Amino acid sequence: QVQLVESGGGLVQAGGSLRLSCAASGTRIDFYGVNWYRQAPGKQREFVAVIYSGTSTNYADSVKGRFTISRDNAKNTVYLQMNSLKPEDTAVYYCNARNNARNLWGQGTQVTVSL
């Protein structure tokens, strides 16, 4: 069964850090470009970060300098390290793996940043 599972979300105070994980099963994550998106209540889903098959990355302006996306192909996992968190980072975070054949989504993990 091809599946993506996000984990690592939780409640953190502003200025704190979290590391999210996106673990793939039934396929190799190195065959995909992997994105993180987030969606807050009442808002549209927005792009956060992407890592390509190599190590090339790109970030939304709102998270540049604070978030880092990385991959560990041996563990079939992509990570999102989130530092200096702000209340506006509060959202459900989704992992998305895309290539020419598939467009996979995880179930999401909740991140809540308090004042």
Side-chain angles (χ1 to χ4, degrees):
Q1 184 176 346
V2 177
Q3 195 172 35
L4 298 178
V5 178
E6 302 98 331
S7 62
L11 176 64
V12 65
Q13 195 168 9
S17 298
L18 287 172
R19 189 177 75 160
L20 306 184
S21 298
C22 174
S25 61
T27 191
R28 285 177 52 164
I29 205 161
D30 54 318
F31 291 170
Y32 301 83
V34 179
N35 302 271
W36 286 96
Y37 290 85
R38 65 188 183 188
Q39 188 167 26
K43 295 185 177 181
Q44 295 189 92
R45 186 164 54 196
E46 64 175 341
F47 168 80
V48 176
V50 59
I51 185 165
Y52 299 101
S53 294
T55 58
S56 181
T57 60
N58 196 24
Y59 299 89
D61 288 344
S62 59
V63 307
K64 283 181 179 176
R66 301 189 297 121
F67 291 11
T68 303
I69 188 170
S70 62
R71 70 195 311 148
D72 187 338
N73 291 332
K75 294 183 178 179
N76 223 24
T77 300
V78 167
Y79 303 97
L80 184 68
Q81 178 67 47
M82 306 187 296
N83 299 326
S84 301
L85 282 162
K86 303 174 180 180
E88 50 262 46
D89 296 318
T90 295
V92 177
Y93 283 70
Y94 296 93
C95 179
N96 167 234
R98 302 184 70 182
N99 62 20
N100 288 338
R102 290 192 176 108
N103 185 12
L104 306 173
W105 290 89
Q107 84 290 347
T109 185
Q110 176 71 50
V111 172
T112 302
V113 184
S114 64
L115 292 170

Short mmCIF file of all heavy atoms in Angstrom, two decimals, residues 4-7 19-24 29-30 32-36 49-52 68-73 75-81 95-97:
data_model
loop_
_atom_site.label_atom_id
_atom_site.label_comp_id
_atom_site.label_asym_id
_atom_site.label_seq_id
_atom_site.Cartn_x
_atom_site.Cartn_y
_atom_site.Cartn_z
N LEU A 4 1.74 8.00 2.65
CA LEU A 4 2.55 8.99 3.34
C LEU A 4 1.92 9.25 4.70
O LEU A 4 0.71 9.42 4.81
CB LEU A 4 2.60 10.31 2.57
CG LEU A 4 3.20 10.32 1.17
CD1 LEU A 4 3.11 11.73 0.58
CD2 LEU A 4 4.64 9.84 1.19
N VAL A 5 2.76 9.29 5.73
CA VAL A 5 2.28 9.54 7.09
C VAL A 5 3.10 10.66 7.71
O VAL A 5 4.32 10.53 7.86
CB VAL A 5 2.36 8.28 7.96
CG1 VAL A 5 1.90 8.60 9.38
CG2 VAL A 5 1.51 7.17 7.37
N GLU A 6 2.43 11.76 8.08
CA GLU A 6 3.08 12.86 8.78
C GLU A 6 3.04 12.63 10.28
O GLU A 6 2.08 12.04 10.80
CB GLU A 6 2.40 14.20 8.47
CG GLU A 6 2.37 14.59 7.00
CD GLU A 6 1.05 14.25 6.35
OE1 GLU A 6 0.39 13.28 6.78
OE2 GLU A 6 0.68 14.96 5.39
N SER A 7 4.05 13.12 10.97
CA SER A 7 4.07 13.07 12.42
C SER A 7 4.94 14.20 12.94
O SER A 7 5.63 14.87 12.17
CB SER A 7 4.60 11.72 12.92
OG SER A 7 5.93 11.50 12.50
N ARG A 19 10.00 19.49 14.80
CA ARG A 19 10.43 18.82 13.59
C ARG A 19 9.34 17.87 13.12
O ARG A 19 8.97 16.94 13.83
CB ARG A 19 11.73 18.04 13.80
CG ARG A 19 12.30 17.52 12.47
CD ARG A 19 13.61 16.79 12.62
NE ARG A 19 13.43 15.46 13.18
CZ ARG A 19 14.32 14.48 13.08
NH1 ARG A 19 15.46 14.68 12.43
NH2 ARG A 19 14.08 13.31 13.64
N LEU A 20 8.83 18.11 11.92
CA LEU A 20 7.83 17.25 11.31
C LEU A 20 8.50 16.20 10.45
O LEU A 20 9.54 16.45 9.83
CB LEU A 20 6.87 18.06 10.45
CG LEU A 20 6.17 19.25 11.12
CD1 LEU A 20 5.18 19.88 10.15
CD2 LEU A 20 5.48 18.83 12.40
N SER A 21 7.90 15.02 10.39
CA SER A 21 8.38 13.93 9.56
C SER A 21 7.31 13.52 8.57
O SER A 21 6.12 13.54 8.88
CB SER A 21 8.76 12.72 10.41
OG SER A 21 9.81 13.02 11.30
N CYS A 22 7.74 13.12 7.38
CA CYS A 22 6.87 12.56 6.36
C CYS A 22 7.48 11.25 5.93
O CYS A 22 8.49 11.23 5.21
CB CYS A 22 6.74 13.53 5.18
SG CYS A 22 5.82 12.87 3.77
N ALA A 23 6.90 10.15 6.37
CA ALA A 23 7.42 8.82 6.10
C ALA A 23 6.62 8.15 5.00
O ALA A 23 5.39 8.10 5.06
CB ALA A 23 7.39 7.97 7.37
N ALA A 24 7.32 7.64 4.00
CA ALA A 24 6.68 6.95 2.88
C ALA A 24 6.76 5.45 3.06
O ALA A 24 7.76 4.92 3.56
CB ALA A 24 7.33 7.35 1.56
N ILE A 29 10.79 7.35 -1.55
CA ILE A 29 10.56 8.78 -1.51
C ILE A 29 11.56 9.54 -2.37
O ILE A 29 11.27 10.67 -2.79
CB ILE A 29 10.55 9.30 -0.04
CG1 ILE A 29 9.74 10.59 0.05
CG2 ILE A 29 11.96 9.46 0.49
CD1 ILE A 29 9.28 10.91 1.46
N ASP A 30 12.70 8.94 -2.68
CA ASP A 30 13.68 9.59 -3.54
C ASP A 30 13.23 9.65 -5.00
O ASP A 30 13.88 10.31 -5.81
CB ASP A 30 15.06 8.94 -3.43
CG ASP A 30 15.06 7.45 -3.67
OD1 ASP A 30 14.15 6.76 -3.18
OD2 ASP A 30 15.99 6.97 -4.35
N TYR A 32 10.50 11.11 -5.84
CA TYR A 32 9.55 12.21 -5.83
C TYR A 32 10.19 13.53 -5.42
O TYR A 32 11.15 13.56 -4.65
CB TYR A 32 8.42 11.94 -4.82
CG TYR A 32 7.63 10.68 -5.07
CD1 TYR A 32 8.09 9.46 -4.62
CD2 TYR A 32 6.40 10.74 -5.71
CE1 TYR A 32 7.36 8.30 -4.84
CE2 TYR A 32 5.66 9.59 -5.92
CZ TYR A 32 6.15 8.38 -5.49
OH TYR A 32 5.42 7.23 -5.69
N GLY A 33 9.64 14.62 -5.94
CA GLY A 33 9.79 15.89 -5.27
C GLY A 33 8.76 15.95 -4.15
O GLY A 33 7.61 15.54 -4.33
N VAL A 34 9.16 16.42 -2.98
CA VAL A 34 8.29 16.40 -1.81
C VAL A 34 8.06 17.82 -1.31
O VAL A 34 9.01 18.57 -1.07
CB VAL A 34 8.87 15.52 -0.69
CG1 VAL A 34 7.94 15.54 0.53
CG2 VAL A 34 9.05 14.10 -1.19
N ASN A 35 6.79 18.17 -1.17
CA ASN A 35 6.37 19.47 -0.69
C ASN A 35 5.76 19.34 0.70
O ASN A 35 5.17 18.32 1.05
CB ASN A 35 5.29 20.07 -1.59
CG ASN A 35 5.71 20.24 -3.03
OD1 ASN A 35 6.26 21.28 -3.39
ND2 ASN A 35 5.45 19.23 -3.85
N TRP A 36 5.89 20.41 1.48
CA TRP A 36 5.06 20.63 2.65
C TRP A 36 4.09 21.77 2.35
O TRP A 36 4.50 22.82 1.84
CB TRP A 36 5.88 20.97 3.88
CG TRP A 36 6.61 19.81 4.47
CD1 TRP A 36 7.89 19.44 4.25
CD2 TRP A 36 6.07 18.86 5.41
NE1 TRP A 36 8.21 18.33 4.99
CE2 TRP A 36 7.10 17.95 5.70
CE3 TRP A 36 4.82 18.69 6.01
CZ2 TRP A 36 6.93 16.87 6.58
CZ3 TRP A 36 4.65 17.63 6.89
CH2 TRP A 36 5.70 16.74 7.16
N ALA A 49 7.25 24.56 1.65
CA ALA A 49 8.62 24.22 1.26
C ALA A 49 8.59 23.04 0.31
O ALA A 49 7.64 22.26 0.28
CB ALA A 49 9.47 23.88 2.48
N VAL A 50 9.67 22.88 -0.47
CA VAL A 50 9.81 21.75 -1.37
C VAL A 50 11.26 21.30 -1.39
O VAL A 50 12.18 22.12 -1.26
CB VAL A 50 9.34 22.09 -2.81
CG1 VAL A 50 10.13 23.26 -3.40
CG2 VAL A 50 9.39 20.87 -3.72
N ILE A 51 11.47 20.00 -1.51
CA ILE A 51 12.79 19.44 -1.75
C ILE A 51 12.68 18.52 -2.96
O ILE A 51 11.76 17.72 -3.07
CB ILE A 51 13.36 18.72 -0.52
CG1 ILE A 51 14.80 18.27 -0.78
CG2 ILE A 51 12.48 17.56 -0.09
CD1 ILE A 51 15.54 17.88 0.49
N TYR A 52 13.62 18.66 -3.88
CA TYR A 52 13.62 17.88 -5.11
C TYR A 52 14.41 16.59 -4.92
O TYR A 52 14.83 16.26 -3.81
CB TYR A 52 14.14 18.74 -6.26
CG TYR A 52 13.27 19.96 -6.49
CD1 TYR A 52 13.64 21.21 -6.01
CD2 TYR A 52 12.05 19.85 -7.15
CE1 TYR A 52 12.83 22.32 -6.19
CE2 TYR A 52 11.24 20.94 -7.34
CZ TYR A 52 11.64 22.18 -6.86
OH TYR A 52 10.82 23.27 -7.04
N THR A 68 13.59 24.50 7.64
CA THR A 68 14.52 23.78 6.79
C THR A 68 13.91 22.44 6.40
O THR A 68 13.53 21.66 7.27
CB THR A 68 15.86 23.54 7.50
OG1 THR A 68 16.43 24.79 7.89
CG2 THR A 68 16.83 22.83 6.56
N ILE A 69 13.83 22.17 5.11
CA ILE A 69 13.36 20.88 4.61
C ILE A 69 14.58 20.03 4.25
O ILE A 69 15.57 20.53 3.72
CB ILE A 69 12.40 21.05 3.42
CG1 ILE A 69 11.75 19.72 3.03
CG2 ILE A 69 13.10 21.70 2.23
CD1 ILE A 69 10.61 19.88 2.03
N SER A 70 14.50 18.75 4.55
CA SER A 70 15.59 17.83 4.26
C SER A 70 15.02 16.44 4.00
O SER A 70 13.85 16.19 4.27
CB SER A 70 16.61 17.79 5.40
OG SER A 70 16.01 17.32 6.59
N ARG A 71 15.85 15.56 3.48
CA ARG A 71 15.41 14.19 3.25
C ARG A 71 16.47 13.21 3.69
O ARG A 71 17.67 13.48 3.65
CB ARG A 71 15.04 13.98 1.77
CG ARG A 71 16.21 14.00 0.81
CD ARG A 71 15.73 14.17 -0.64
NE ARG A 71 14.66 13.25 -0.99
CZ ARG A 71 13.69 13.51 -1.85
NH1 ARG A 71 13.64 14.68 -2.47
NH2 ARG A 71 12.76 12.61 -2.10
N ASP A 72 16.02 12.04 4.13
CA ASP A 72 16.88 10.91 4.45
C ASP A 72 16.34 9.75 3.64
O ASP A 72 15.40 9.07 4.05
CB ASP A 72 16.88 10.61 5.94
CG ASP A 72 17.89 9.55 6.32
OD1 ASP A 72 18.30 8.75 5.46
OD2 ASP A 72 18.28 9.51 7.51
N ASN A 73 16.93 9.53 2.47
CA ASN A 73 16.41 8.50 1.57
C ASN A 73 16.53 7.10 2.16
O ASN A 73 15.70 6.23 1.88
CB ASN A 73 17.12 8.58 0.22
CG ASN A 73 16.75 9.83 -0.56
OD1 ASN A 73 15.65 10.38 -0.41
ND2 ASN A 73 17.66 10.29 -1.40
N LYS A 75 16.00 6.29 5.17
CA LYS A 75 14.85 6.13 6.05
C LYS A 75 13.53 6.36 5.34
O LYS A 75 12.47 6.26 5.96
CB LYS A 75 14.97 7.07 7.25
CG LYS A 75 16.12 6.75 8.17
CD LYS A 75 16.14 7.68 9.37
CE LYS A 75 17.26 7.33 10.31
NZ LYS A 75 17.30 8.23 11.49
N ASN A 76 13.59 6.69 4.03
CA ASN A 76 12.39 6.94 3.24
C ASN A 76 11.53 8.04 3.85
O ASN A 76 10.30 7.97 3.86
CB ASN A 76 11.58 5.65 3.09
CG ASN A 76 11.05 5.45 1.68
OD1 ASN A 76 11.58 5.97 0.71
ND2 ASN A 76 9.97 4.68 1.57
N THR A 77 12.20 9.09 4.34
CA THR A 77 11.53 10.12 5.12
C THR A 77 12.02 11.51 4.72
O THR A 77 13.22 11.70 4.46
CB THR A 77 11.77 9.90 6.62
OG1 THR A 77 11.25 8.62 7.00
CG2 THR A 77 11.09 10.97 7.45
N VAL A 78 11.10 12.46 4.69
CA VAL A 78 11.41 13.88 4.52
C VAL A 78 11.03 14.59 5.81
O VAL A 78 10.02 14.27 6.44
CB VAL A 78 10.66 14.47 3.31
CG1 VAL A 78 10.72 15.99 3.32
CG2 VAL A 78 11.28 13.94 2.02
N TYR A 79 11.84 15.58 6.19
CA TYR A 79 11.65 16.31 7.43
C TYR A 79 11.40 17.79 7.15
O TYR A 79 11.84 18.35 6.15
CB TYR A 79 12.87 16.19 8.33
CG TYR A 79 13.24 14.77 8.66
CD1 TYR A 79 14.23 14.10 7.94
CD2 TYR A 79 12.60 14.09 9.69
CE1 TYR A 79 14.57 12.80 8.23
CE2 TYR A 79 12.93 12.78 9.99
CZ TYR A 79 13.92 12.14 9.26
OH TYR A 79 14.25 10.83 9.56
N LEU A 80 10.72 18.43 8.08
CA LEU A 80 10.60 19.88 8.09
C LEU A 80 10.96 20.36 9.49
O LEU A 80 10.18 20.18 10.43
CB LEU A 80 9.19 20.33 7.71
CG LEU A 80 9.00 21.84 7.60
CD1 LEU A 80 9.78 22.40 6.41
CD2 LEU A 80 7.52 22.20 7.48
N GLN A 81 12.15 20.94 9.62
CA GLN A 81 12.58 21.53 10.88
C GLN A 81 12.04 22.95 10.95
O GLN A 81 12.34 23.77 10.08
CB GLN A 81 14.11 21.54 10.98
CG GLN A 81 14.65 22.17 12.25
CD GLN A 81 14.32 21.39 13.49
OE1 GLN A 81 14.49 20.17 13.51
NE2 GLN A 81 13.83 22.06 14.52
N CYS A 95 2.13 16.65 3.96
CA CYS A 95 3.20 16.22 3.08
C CYS A 95 2.62 15.82 1.73
O CYS A 95 1.57 15.16 1.67
CB CYS A 95 3.94 15.04 3.73
SG CYS A 95 5.29 14.37 2.76
N ASN A 96 3.28 16.21 0.65
CA ASN A 96 2.84 15.94 -0.71
C ASN A 96 4.03 15.47 -1.54
O ASN A 96 5.01 16.20 -1.67
CB ASN A 96 2.21 17.20 -1.31
CG ASN A 96 2.00 17.12 -2.81
OD1 ASN A 96 2.46 17.99 -3.56
ND2 ASN A 96 1.28 16.10 -3.26
N ALA A 97 3.95 14.26 -2.09
CA ALA A 97 5.01 13.69 -2.93
C ALA A 97 4.49 13.58 -4.35
O ALA A 97 3.46 12.96 -4.59
CB ALA A 97 5.45 12.34 -2.40
#
